[in-house]
Amino acid sequence: MSHSSLGTALITGASAGIGATYADRLAKRGYDLLLVARDAARLKALADKLSAAHGIKAEVFQADLTNRDEVRKVEKRLREDEAITLLVNNAGIGSKTTMLEDDIDYLETMIEVNVVAVNRLGVAAAQTFAKRGKGSIINIASVVAFLAERFHGTYNATKAFVLNLTQSIHAEAGPKGVKVQAVLPGLTRTEIFERAGNSIDQLPPSMVMEVTDLVDAALAGFDQGEVVTIPSLPDPADYEALTTARHALGPNLSHNKPASRYGVA
């Protein structure tokens, strides 16, 4: 089977949910696939299905992204395989309960997947693609990056990390030909809730997006060149206002004296 002219999309967390849906949509576009997750059997079933349906090459790469040695194996493939033109940094795990009640060892595992692995693969892709002068990175964050006070502290912090990382990669690597996007889903119908011991059916249906709608909207935002895509947000001016306000803080975030309101200068 010949390689796709679009290249290969490396997708983490590809066995189900958002990752598997990205695999389907990118295969339809004509990308070859490198599917990364722990569950080799599910990956192979998906790879076989998409290969047969779309005439693309789909390869399985079994890896546990809680294990740093295995993350490095994925990184090595990402750096060395010139066919890879797109990274979808999707793998992640959610919270089981409130931060005050959660198992701190589990929270460290969450950080390994949501932060350490995402950072290593995202930066490796940025470095590799910038040298080539082309390539794309899609990082899956979450709207909770904006809502630190309302949800699980560690999970929120991991997704704020992903958003900030993406914006910084865009600032550095964008001028070198690397296309970068952060996708911020709201509540989405995937297995992440069941894996954390919860049920999405307990949530208001009006707040829960189907995963196919989420990915289709995210790819529409990618095609439009959005750096930050919030599929549920009706008016992009709201996010633009937030960005403007954030940038307006810049000139006053670092001075040689404390602000007079503290009365210590």
Side-chain angles (χ1 to χ4, degrees):
M1 185 180 295
S2 62
H3 288 284
S4 166
S5 61
L6 294 174
T8 298
L10 190 164
I11 306 171
T12 66
S15 61
I18 292 173
T21 306
Y22 263 103
D24 175 72
R25 296 309 196 251
L26 293 172
K28 285 181 179 177
R29 291 186 174 209
Y31 280 91
D32 288 330
L33 302 173
L34 180 58
L35 305 176
V36 179
R38 290 180 297 179
D39 192 332
R42 291 181 78 178
L43 286 181
K44 186 177 186 305
L46 180 63
D48 291 346
K49 174 185 173 183
L50 296 180
S51 294
H54 305 296
I56 53 92
K57 177 184 177 183
E59 181 181 348
V60 168
F61 192 126
Q62 184 180 20
D64 180 353
L65 298 187
T66 67
N67 182 311
R68 294 192 179 189
D69 289 337
E70 296 196 19
V71 173
R72 282 170 169 77
K73 291 178 183 178
V74 180
E75 176 198 356
K76 184 174 186 293
R77 176 67 180 270
L78 176 58
R79 289 187 183 274
E80 295 178 355
D81 188 344
E82 294 188 2
I84 296 173
T85 58
L86 170 62
L87 167 67
V88 181
N89 232 343
N90 164 71
I93 59 176
S95 57
K96 293 182 177 180
T97 180
T98 66
M99 184 181 66
L100 295 182
E101 297 172 332
D102 223 333
D103 174 8
I104 199 164
D105 291 328
Y106 175 78
L107 299 185
E108 285 197 4
T109 300
M110 180 192 295
I111 291 169
E112 287 291 333
V113 179
N114 294 13
V115 174
V116 176
V118 168
N119 182 72
R120 189 154 196 108
L121 298 181
V123 172
Q127 292 174 342
T128 302
F129 295 161
K131 288 178 182 177
R132 297 179 191 166
K134 61 181 180 179
S136 301
I137 301 168
I138 299 173
N139 291 328
I140 307 301
S142 169
V143 294
V144 300
F146 298 135
L147 300 169
E149 301 87 354
R150 294 185 56 186
F151 295 95
H152 190 291
T154 303
Y155 182 75
N156 294 353
T158 67
K159 293 306 182 177
F161 179 93
V162 176
L163 174 60
N164 278 266
L165 175 69
T166 306
Q167 291 169 314
S168 295
I169 290 175
H170 171 69
E172 262 196 80
K176 298 182 182 296
V178 182
K179 186 174 182 179
V180 185
Q181 180 195 32
V183 177
L184 278 62
L187 296 169
T188 309
R189 192 178 302 280
T190 69
E191 292 181 0
I192 193 170
F193 293 92
E194 282 71 23
R195 289 176 180 174
N198 301 308
S199 173
I200 199 162
D201 293 328
Q202 297 173 352
L203 301 169
S206 63
M207 295 180 66
V208 180
M209 187 175 291
E210 296 299 325
V211 68
T212 50
D213 291 337
L214 179 280
V215 173
D216 287 342
L219 285 171
F222 180 76
D223 293 340
Q224 293 168 23
E226 290 184 343
V227 177
V228 176
T229 295
I230 308 171
S232 289
L233 187 67
D235 188 352
D238 292 340
Y239 174 71
E240 292 164 7
L242 174 64
T243 302
T244 299
R246 180 168 59 84
H247 288 169
L249 294 173
N252 289 312
L253 291 178
S254 183
H255 292 303
N256 64 345
K257 299 290 184 181
S260 61
R261 61 196 175 94
Y262 293 112
V264 297

